[in-house]
Every structure is written in structure tokens, then in C-alpha cells.
């Protein structure tokens, strides 16, 4: 019986303060939507396998020029 009284009281208060009720519903809707969008993107980028055949055999190739001809290691004209 106490739960039923709580629900009736909450309904009365929310109907009395319509501006607060609307803002609470809008805030929840935006937060749930943003959360869903962020986790959907994170899942598709981080967790789902890549859409390539033999995606586990892909390698990353890059060049590190910090020791070869970078401006910091280039000899000055006076050397």
C-alpha cells in the first residue's frame, strides 16, 4: 500500500510542477540518446572486427624520422 501512495504522490507533484517534469524528461532523453550514440561508436570502432578478410593479419607500418635527418639532428653549416 505504501508504494501505491508513493506513486500517487509522485504523480501529483509532477503534474503540479509541469516545467520541472518536462525538463527532467528532456534531460533524461538527451542523456540516454548521447550515451547510446557514444557506446555505439565505441563498439563499432573498438570491439567489432574489421571488415576485411584476415583482419587479424593486418600490420601497422610507419616511419620514425627522429634519428634520420630530422632538423634536430641535422649538422649545422659550421660543422
Amino acid at each position: 500500500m505504501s508504494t501505491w501512495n508513493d506513486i500517487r504522490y509522485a504523480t501529483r507533484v509532477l503534474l503540479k510542477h509541469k516545467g520541472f517534469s518536462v525538463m527532467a524528461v528532456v534531460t533524461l532523453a538527451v542523456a540516454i540518446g548521447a550515451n547510446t550514440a557514444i557506446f555505439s561508436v565505441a563498439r563499432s570502432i573498438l570491439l567489432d572486427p574489421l571488415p576485411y578478410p584476415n583482419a587479424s593479419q593486418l600490420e601497422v607500418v610507419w616511419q620514425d624520422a627522429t634519428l634520420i635527418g630530422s632538423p634536430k639532428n641535422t649538422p649545422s653549416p659550421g660543422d
Side-chain angles (χ1 to χ4, degrees):
M1 190 67 169
S2 173
T3 304
W4 180 247
N5 289 336
D6 289 343
I7 292 172
R8 285 181 29 210
Y9 175 73
T11 304
R12 266 198 326 266
V13 170
L14 289 175
L15 290 175
K16 184 178 178 183
H17 301 287
K18 291 180 179 147
F20 172 78
S21 301
V22 169
M23 287 306 298
V25 168
V26 168
T27 301
L28 283 171
V30 169
I32 291 170
N35 194 11
T36 302
I38 289 170
F39 278 102
S40 295
V41 170
R43 179 180 175 215
S44 67
I45 292 174
L46 299 175
L47 299 177
D48 287 345
L50 294 173
Y52 301 110
N54 301 326
S56 63
Q57 296 178 353
L58 290 176
E59 296 289 331
V60 177
V61 179
W62 71 89
Q63 182 177 1
D64 186 6
T66 55
L67 299 177
I68 312 170
S70 65
K72 184 166 60 172
N73 295 327
T74 306
S76 63
D79 289 343

Coordinates of all heavy atoms in Angstrom, one line a residue:
M1 N 0.8 -1.2 0.0 CA 0.0 0.0 0.0 C 0.9 1.3 0.0 O 0.5 2.2 -0.6 CB -0.9 0.0 1.2 CG -2.0 1.0 1.2 SD -3.1 0.7 -0.2 CE -4.4 1.8 0.2
S2 N 2.0 1.2 0.7 CA 2.9 2.4 0.7 C 3.4 2.7 -0.7 O 3.5 3.9 -1.0 CB 4.0 2.1 1.7 OG 5.0 3.1 1.6
T3 N 3.7 1.7 -1.5 CA 4.2 2.0 -2.8 C 3.2 2.7 -3.6 O 3.5 3.6 -4.4 CB 4.6 0.7 -3.5 OG1 5.6 0.0 -2.7 CG2 5.2 1.0 -4.9
W4 N 1.9 2.3 -3.5 CA 0.9 2.9 -4.3 C 0.7 4.4 -3.9 O 0.5 5.2 -4.7 CB -0.4 2.1 -4.1 CG -1.6 2.7 -4.8 CD1 -2.7 3.3 -4.3 CD2 -1.8 2.8 -6.2 NE1 -3.6 3.7 -5.2 CE2 -3.0 3.4 -6.4 CE3 -1.0 2.3 -7.3 CZ2 -3.5 3.6 -7.7 CZ3 -1.5 2.6 -8.6 CH2 -2.7 3.2 -8.8
N5 N 0.8 4.6 -2.6 CA 0.7 6.0 -2.1 C 1.9 6.9 -2.6 O 1.7 8.0 -3.0 CB 0.7 6.1 -0.6 CG -0.6 5.6 0.0 OD1 -1.7 5.6 -0.7 ND2 -0.6 5.1 1.2
D6 N 3.0 6.3 -2.7 CA 4.2 7.0 -3.2 C 4.0 7.3 -4.7 O 4.4 8.4 -5.1 CB 5.5 6.2 -3.0 CG 5.9 6.1 -1.6 OD1 5.4 6.9 -0.8 OD2 6.7 5.2 -1.2
I7 N 3.5 6.4 -5.5 CA 3.3 6.6 -6.9 C 2.2 7.7 -7.1 O 2.4 8.6 -7.9 CB 2.9 5.3 -7.6 CG1 4.1 4.3 -7.6 CG2 2.4 5.6 -9.0 CD1 3.7 3.0 -8.1
R8 N 1.2 7.7 -6.3 CA 0.1 8.7 -6.4 C 0.7 10.1 -6.0 O 0.4 11.1 -6.7 CB -1.1 8.4 -5.5 CG -1.9 7.3 -6.1 CD -3.1 6.9 -5.3 NE -3.7 8.0 -4.5 CZ -4.3 7.8 -3.3 NH1 -4.4 6.6 -2.8 NH2 -4.8 8.8 -2.7
Y9 N 1.5 10.1 -5.0 CA 2.1 11.4 -4.5 C 3.1 11.9 -5.6 O 3.0 13.1 -6.0 CB 2.8 11.2 -3.2 CG 3.6 12.5 -2.8 CD1 2.8 13.6 -2.3 CD2 4.9 12.5 -2.8 CE1 3.5 14.7 -1.9 CE2 5.6 13.7 -2.4 CZ 4.9 14.8 -2.0 OH 5.5 15.9 -1.6
A10 N 3.9 11.1 -6.2 CA 4.8 11.5 -7.2 C 4.1 12.0 -8.4 O 4.5 13.0 -9.0 CB 5.7 10.3 -7.6
T11 N 3.0 11.4 -8.8 CA 2.2 11.8 -10.0 C 1.6 13.2 -9.7 O 1.7 14.1 -10.5 CB 1.1 10.8 -10.3 OG1 1.7 9.5 -10.5 CG2 0.3 11.2 -11.5
R12 N 1.1 13.4 -8.5 CA 0.5 14.7 -8.2 C 1.6 15.8 -8.2 O 1.3 16.9 -8.8 CB -0.1 14.6 -6.7 CG -1.5 14.3 -6.7 CD -2.2 14.7 -5.4 NE -1.4 14.5 -4.2 CZ -1.3 13.4 -3.4 NH1 -2.1 12.4 -3.7 NH2 -0.6 13.4 -2.3
V13 N 2.7 15.5 -7.7 CA 3.8 16.5 -7.6 C 4.3 16.8 -9.1 O 4.5 18.0 -9.4 CB 5.0 16.1 -6.7 CG1 6.2 17.0 -6.9 CG2 4.5 16.0 -5.3
L14 N 4.5 15.8 -9.9 CA 4.9 16.0 -11.2 C 3.9 16.8 -12.1 O 4.2 17.6 -12.9 CB 5.3 14.7 -11.9 CG 6.5 14.0 -11.4 CD1 6.8 12.7 -12.0 CD2 7.8 14.9 -11.6
L15 N 2.6 16.5 -11.9 CA 1.6 17.2 -12.6 C 1.5 18.7 -12.1 O 1.1 19.6 -12.8 CB 0.2 16.5 -12.4 CG 0.1 15.2 -13.2 CD1 -1.2 14.5 -12.9 CD2 0.2 15.4 -14.7
K16 N 1.8 18.9 -10.8 CA 1.7 20.3 -10.3 C 2.9 21.1 -10.8 O 2.7 22.3 -11.1 CB 1.8 20.2 -8.8 CG 1.7 21.5 -8.1 CD 1.7 21.4 -6.6 CE 1.6 22.7 -5.9 NZ 1.7 22.6 -4.4
H17 N 4.1 20.5 -11.0 CA 5.2 21.2 -11.5 C 5.6 20.7 -12.9 O 6.5 20.0 -13.1 CB 6.4 21.0 -10.6 CG 6.2 21.4 -9.2 ND1 6.1 22.8 -8.8 CD2 5.9 20.7 -8.0 CE1 5.9 22.9 -7.5 NE2 5.7 21.6 -7.0
K18 N 4.8 21.2 -13.9 CA 4.9 20.7 -15.3 C 6.3 21.1 -15.9 O 6.8 20.3 -16.6 CB 3.8 21.2 -16.1 CG 2.5 20.6 -15.7 CD 1.3 21.0 -16.5 CE 0.1 20.3 -16.0 NZ -1.1 21.1 -16.1
G19 N 6.8 22.3 -15.6 CA 8.0 22.7 -16.2 C 9.2 21.8 -15.7 O 10.0 21.4 -16.6
F20 N 9.2 21.5 -14.5 CA 10.2 20.6 -14.0 C 10.1 19.2 -14.6 O 11.1 18.6 -15.0 CB 10.1 20.5 -12.4 CG 11.0 19.4 -11.9 CD1 12.4 19.7 -11.7 CD2 10.5 18.2 -11.5 CE1 13.2 18.7 -11.2 CE2 11.4 17.2 -11.0 CZ 12.7 17.5 -10.9
S21 N 8.9 18.8 -14.7 CA 8.7 17.4 -15.3 C 9.1 17.4 -16.7 O 9.8 16.4 -17.1 CB 7.2 17.1 -15.2 OG 6.7 17.1 -13.9
V22 N 8.8 18.4 -17.5 CA 9.2 18.4 -18.9 C 10.8 18.5 -19.0 O 11.4 17.7 -19.8 CB 8.6 19.6 -19.7 CG1 9.2 19.8 -21.0 CG2 7.1 19.4 -19.8
M23 N 11.4 19.3 -18.2 CA 12.9 19.4 -18.2 C 13.5 18.1 -17.8 O 14.5 17.7 -18.3 CB 13.3 20.6 -17.4 CG 13.1 21.9 -18.0 SD 13.7 22.1 -19.6 CE 15.4 21.9 -19.4
A24 N 13.0 17.4 -16.8 CA 13.5 16.2 -16.4 C 13.4 15.1 -17.5 O 14.4 14.4 -17.7 CB 12.8 15.7 -15.1
V25 N 12.3 15.1 -18.2 CA 12.1 14.1 -19.2 C 13.0 14.4 -20.4 O 13.7 13.5 -21.0 CB 10.6 14.0 -19.7 CG1 10.5 13.3 -21.0 CG2 9.8 13.4 -18.6
V26 N 13.2 15.7 -20.8 CA 14.0 16.1 -21.9 C 15.5 15.8 -21.5 O 16.3 15.3 -22.3 CB 13.9 17.6 -22.2 CG1 15.0 18.1 -23.1 CG2 12.5 17.8 -22.8
T27 N 15.9 16.1 -20.3 CA 17.3 15.8 -19.8 C 17.6 14.3 -19.9 O 18.6 13.9 -20.4 CB 17.5 16.3 -18.4 OG1 17.2 17.7 -18.4 CG2 18.9 16.1 -18.0
L28 N 16.7 13.5 -19.4 CA 16.8 12.0 -19.5 C 16.9 11.6 -20.9 O 17.7 10.7 -21.3 CB 15.7 11.3 -18.8 CG 15.8 11.3 -17.2 CD1 14.6 10.8 -16.6 CD2 17.0 10.5 -16.8
A29 N 16.1 12.1 -21.8 CA 16.1 11.7 -23.2 C 17.4 12.0 -23.9 O 18.0 11.2 -24.6 CB 14.9 12.3 -23.9
V30 N 17.9 13.2 -23.7 CA 19.2 13.6 -24.3 C 20.3 12.8 -23.7 O 21.2 12.4 -24.5 CB 19.4 15.1 -24.0 CG1 20.8 15.5 -24.4 CG2 18.4 16.0 -24.8
A31 N 20.3 12.6 -22.4 CA 21.4 11.8 -21.8 C 21.4 10.3 -22.3 O 22.4 9.8 -22.6 CB 21.3 11.8 -20.3
I32 N 20.2 9.7 -22.4 CA 20.1 8.4 -22.9 C 20.5 8.3 -24.3 O 21.3 7.4 -24.8 CB 18.7 7.8 -22.6 CG1 18.5 7.6 -21.1 CG2 18.5 6.5 -23.4 CD1 17.1 7.3 -20.7
G33 N 20.1 9.3 -25.1 CA 20.5 9.3 -26.5 C 22.0 9.5 -26.8 O 22.6 8.8 -27.6
A34 N 22.6 10.4 -26.0 CA 24.0 10.6 -26.1 C 24.8 9.4 -25.7 O 25.8 9.0 -26.3 CB 24.4 11.8 -25.3
N35 N 24.4 8.8 -24.6 CA 25.0 7.6 -24.1 C 25.0 6.4 -25.1 O 26.0 5.8 -25.4 CB 24.4 7.1 -22.8 CG 25.2 6.1 -22.1 OD1 26.3 5.9 -22.4 ND2 24.6 5.5 -21.0
T36 N 23.8 6.3 -25.7 CA 23.6 5.2 -26.8 C 24.5 5.5 -28.0 O 25.2 4.6 -28.5 CB 22.2 5.2 -27.2 OG1 21.4 4.9 -26.1 CG2 21.9 4.1 -28.3
A37 N 24.6 6.8 -28.4 CA 25.4 7.1 -29.6 C 26.9 6.9 -29.3 O 27.6 6.3 -30.1 CB 25.2 8.6 -29.9
I38 N 27.3 7.3 -28.1 CA 28.8 7.2 -27.8 C 29.2 5.7 -27.7 O 30.2 5.3 -28.3 CB 29.1 7.9 -26.5 CG1 29.0 9.4 -26.7 CG2 30.4 7.5 -25.9 CD1 29.1 10.2 -25.4
F39 N 28.3 4.9 -27.1 CA 28.7 3.5 -26.9 C 28.5 2.8 -28.3 O 29.3 1.8 -28.5 CB 27.9 2.8 -25.8 CG 28.5 3.1 -24.5 CD1 27.9 4.0 -23.6 CD2 29.6 2.4 -24.1 CE1 28.5 4.2 -22.4 CE2 30.1 2.6 -22.8 CZ 29.6 3.5 -22.0
S40 N 27.6 3.2 -29.1 CA 27.5 2.6 -30.5 C 28.8 2.8 -31.3 O 29.3 1.9 -31.9 CB 26.3 3.1 -31.2 OG 25.1 2.8 -30.5
V41 N 29.3 4.1 -31.2 CA 30.5 4.4 -32.0 C 31.7 3.7 -31.3 O 32.5 3.1 -32.1 CB 30.7 5.9 -31.9 CG1 32.1 6.3 -32.5 CG2 29.7 6.6 -32.8
A42 N 31.8 3.7 -30.0 CA 32.9 3.0 -29.4 C 32.9 1.5 -29.7 O 33.9 0.9 -29.9 CB 32.9 3.2 -27.9
R43 N 31.7 0.9 -29.7 CA 31.6 -0.5 -30.0 C 32.1 -0.8 -31.4 O 32.8 -1.7 -31.7 CB 30.2 -1.0 -29.8 CG 30.1 -2.5 -30.1 CD 28.7 -3.0 -29.9 NE 28.6 -4.4 -30.4 CZ 27.6 -4.9 -30.9 NH1 26.5 -4.2 -31.1 NH2 27.6 -6.1 -31.3
S44 N 31.6 0.0 -32.4 CA 31.9 -0.2 -33.8 C 33.4 0.0 -34.1 O 34.0 -0.6 -34.9 CB 31.1 0.7 -34.7 OG 31.4 2.0 -34.5
I45 N 34.0 0.9 -33.3 CA 35.5 1.2 -33.6 C 36.4 0.3 -32.8 O 37.4 -0.3 -33.3 CB 35.8 2.7 -33.2 CG1 35.1 3.6 -34.2 CG2 37.3 2.9 -33.2 CD1 35.2 5.1 -33.8
L46 N 36.0 0.0 -31.5 CA 37.0 -0.7 -30.7 C 36.7 -2.2 -30.6 O 37.6 -3.0 -30.4 CB 36.9 -0.1 -29.3 CG 37.3 1.3 -29.2 CD1 37.1 1.8 -27.8 CD2 38.8 1.5 -29.6
L47 N 35.4 -2.6 -30.6 CA 35.1 -4.0 -30.3 C 34.8 -4.9 -31.5 O 35.1 -6.1 -31.5 CB 33.9 -4.1 -29.3 CG 34.2 -3.4 -28.0 CD1 33.0 -3.4 -27.1 CD2 35.4 -4.0 -27.3
D48 N 34.1 -4.3 -32.5 CA 33.7 -5.2 -33.7 C 35.0 -5.5 -34.5 O 35.9 -4.6 -34.6 CB 32.7 -4.4 -34.5 CG 31.3 -4.4 -33.9 OD1 31.1 -5.2 -32.9 OD2 30.5 -3.6 -34.3
P49 N 35.0 -6.6 -35.1 CA 36.2 -6.9 -36.0 C 36.2 -6.0 -37.3 O 35.1 -5.5 -37.7 CB 36.0 -8.4 -36.4 CG 34.5 -8.6 -36.2 CD 34.1 -7.7 -35.1
L50 N 37.3 -5.8 -37.8 CA 37.4 -5.0 -39.0 C 36.8 -5.7 -40.2 O 36.8 -6.9 -40.3 CB 38.9 -4.8 -39.3 CG 39.7 -3.9 -38.3 CD1 41.2 -3.9 -38.6 CD2 39.1 -2.5 -38.3
P51 N 36.2 -4.9 -41.1 CA 35.5 -5.6 -42.3 C 36.4 -6.0 -43.4 O 36.2 -5.6 -44.6 CB 34.5 -4.5 -42.7 CG 35.3 -3.2 -42.3 CD 36.0 -3.5 -41.1
Y52 N 37.5 -6.6 -43.1 CA 38.5 -7.1 -44.1 C 38.7 -8.6 -43.9 O 38.7 -9.1 -42.8 CB 39.8 -6.4 -43.9 CG 39.8 -4.9 -44.0 CD1 40.0 -4.1 -42.9 CD2 39.5 -4.3 -45.2 CE1 39.9 -2.7 -43.0 CE2 39.5 -2.9 -45.3 CZ 39.7 -2.1 -44.2 OH 39.6 -0.8 -44.3
P53 N 39.0 -9.3 -45.0 CA 39.3 -10.7 -44.8 C 40.7 -10.8 -44.1 O 41.6 -10.0 -44.4 CB 39.4 -11.2 -46.3 CG 39.5 -10.0 -47.1 CD 38.9 -8.9 -46.4
N54 N 40.8 -11.7 -43.2 CA 42.0 -12.0 -42.4 C 42.4 -10.7 -41.7 O 43.6 -10.3 -41.7 CB 43.1 -12.5 -43.3 CG 42.8 -13.8 -44.0 OD1 42.1 -14.6 -43.4 ND2 43.3 -13.9 -45.2
A55 N 41.5 -10.0 -41.1 CA 41.8 -8.7 -40.4 C 42.8 -8.9 -39.3 O 43.5 -8.0 -38.9 CB 40.5 -8.1 -39.9
S56 N 42.9 -10.1 -38.7 CA 43.8 -10.3 -37.6 C 45.3 -10.3 -38.1 O 46.2 -10.2 -37.3 CB 43.5 -11.6 -36.9 OG 43.7 -12.7 -37.8
Q57 N 45.5 -10.4 -39.4 CA 46.8 -10.4 -40.0 C 47.3 -9.1 -40.5 O 48.4 -8.9 -41.0 CB 46.9 -11.4 -41.2 CG 46.6 -12.9 -40.7 CD 46.7 -13.8 -41.9 OE1 46.7 -13.5 -43.0 NE2 46.6 -15.1 -41.5
L58 N 46.5 -8.0 -40.3 CA 46.9 -6.7 -40.7 C 48.0 -6.2 -39.9 O 48.1 -6.5 -38.7 CB 45.7 -5.7 -40.7 CG 44.6 -5.9 -41.7 CD1 43.5 -5.0 -41.4 CD2 45.1 -5.7 -43.1
E59 N 48.9 -5.4 -40.5 CA 50.1 -4.9 -39.7 C 50.1 -3.4 -39.9 O 49.5 -2.8 -40.8 CB 51.4 -5.4 -40.3 CG 51.6 -6.9 -40.2 CD 51.8 -7.3 -38.7 OE1 52.4 -6.5 -38.0 OE2 51.5 -8.4 -38.4
V60 N 50.7 -2.7 -38.9 CA 50.8 -1.3 -39.0 C 52.3 -0.9 -39.4 O 53.2 -1.5 -38.8 CB 50.5 -0.6 -37.6 CG1 50.8 0.9 -37.6 CG2 49.1 -1.0 -37.2
V61 N 52.4 -0.1 -40.4 CA 53.8 0.3 -40.8 C 53.9 1.8 -40.7 O 53.0 2.6 -41.1 CB 54.0 -0.1 -42.3 CG1 55.3 0.3 -42.8 CG2 53.8 -1.6 -42.5
W62 N 55.0 2.3 -40.1 CA 55.2 3.7 -40.0 C 56.7 4.0 -40.1 O 57.5 3.1 -39.9 CB 54.6 4.3 -38.7 CG 55.3 3.9 -37.5 CD1 56.3 4.6 -36.9 CD2 55.0 2.8 -36.7 NE1 56.7 3.9 -35.7 CE2 55.9 2.8 -35.6 CE3 54.0 1.8 -36.7 CZ2 55.9 1.9 -34.6 CZ3 54.1 0.9 -35.7 CH2 54.9 0.9 -34.7
Q63 N 57.0 5.3 -40.2 CA 58.4 5.6 -40.3 C 58.7 6.6 -39.2 O 58.0 7.6 -39.0 CB 58.7 6.3 -41.7 CG 60.2 6.7 -41.8 CD 60.5 7.2 -43.2 OE1 59.6 7.4 -44.0 NE2 61.7 7.6 -43.4
D64 N 59.8 6.4 -38.5 CA 60.2 7.3 -37.4 C 61.4 8.0 -37.9 O 62.5 7.4 -38.0 CB 60.5 6.4 -36.1 CG 60.8 7.3 -34.9 OD1 60.6 8.6 -35.1 OD2 61.1 6.8 -33.9
A65 N 61.3 9.3 -38.1 CA 62.4 10.1 -38.6 C 63.1 10.9 -37.5 O 63.8 11.9 -37.8 CB 61.9 11.0 -39.7
T66 N 63.0 10.5 -36.3 CA 63.7 11.3 -35.3 C 65.2 11.2 -35.3 O 65.9 12.1 -34.8 CB 63.2 10.9 -33.9 OG1 63.4 9.5 -33.7 CG2 61.7 11.2 -33.7
L67 N 65.7 10.1 -35.8 CA 67.2 9.9 -35.8 C 67.8 10.1 -37.2 O 69.0 10.2 -37.3 CB 67.5 8.5 -35.3 CG 67.1 8.3 -33.8 CD1 67.4 6.8 -33.4 CD2 67.8 9.2 -32.9
I68 N 66.9 10.1 -38.2 CA 67.4 10.2 -39.6 C 67.0 11.5 -40.2 O 65.9 11.7 -40.6 CB 66.9 9.1 -40.5 CG1 67.0 7.7 -39.8 CG2 67.6 9.0 -41.8 CD1 66.3 6.6 -40.4
G69 N 67.9 12.5 -40.2 CA 67.7 13.7 -41.0 C 66.6 14.6 -40.4 O 66.1 15.4 -41.1
S70 N 66.3 14.5 -39.1 CA 65.3 15.4 -38.6 C 66.1 16.7 -38.3 O 67.3 16.7 -38.1 CB 64.8 14.8 -37.3 OG 65.8 14.7 -36.3
P71 N 65.3 17.8 -38.2 CA 66.0 19.1 -38.1 C 66.9 19.2 -36.8 O 67.9 19.8 -36.8 CB 64.8 20.1 -38.0 CG 63.7 19.4 -38.6 CD 63.9 17.9 -38.4
K72 N 66.5 18.4 -35.8 CA 67.3 18.5 -34.5 C 68.6 17.8 -34.7 O 69.6 18.2 -34.1 CB 66.5 17.8 -33.4 CG 67.1 17.8 -32.1 CD 66.1 17.4 -31.0 CE 65.6 16.0 -31.1 NZ 64.8 15.6 -30.0
N73 N 68.8 16.8 -35.6 CA 70.0 16.1 -35.7 C 70.8 16.4 -37.0 O 71.8 15.8 -37.3 CB 69.7 14.6 -35.7 CG 69.1 14.1 -34.4 OD1 69.5 14.6 -33.3 ND2 68.2 13.2 -34.4
T74 N 70.3 17.4 -37.7 CA 71.0 17.7 -39.0 C 72.2 18.6 -38.6 O 72.1 19.5 -37.7 CB 70.0 18.6 -39.8 OG1 68.8 17.9 -40.0 CG2 70.7 18.9 -41.2
P75 N 73.4 18.3 -39.2 CA 74.5 19.1 -38.9 C 74.4 20.6 -39.3 O 73.7 20.9 -40.3 CB 75.7 18.4 -39.7 CG 75.0 17.3 -40.4 CD 73.6 17.3 -40.1
S76 N 74.9 21.4 -38.5 CA 74.8 22.9 -38.8 C 75.8 23.2 -39.9 O 76.8 22.5 -40.1 CB 75.0 23.7 -37.6 OG 76.3 23.5 -37.1
P77 N 75.6 24.3 -40.7 CA 76.6 24.6 -41.7 C 78.0 24.8 -41.2 O 79.0 24.6 -42.0 CB 76.0 25.9 -42.3 CG 74.6 26.0 -41.9 CD 74.5 25.2 -40.6
G78 N 78.2 25.2 -40.0 CA 79.6 25.4 -39.5 C 80.3 24.1 -39.1 O 81.5 24.1 -38.9
D79 N 79.7 23.0 -39.1 CA 80.3 21.7 -38.7 C 81.1 21.1 -39.7 O 81.0 21.1 -40.9 CB 79.2 20.7 -38.2 CG 78.7 21.1 -36.8 OD1 79.3 22.0 -36.2 OD2 77.6 20.6 -36.5

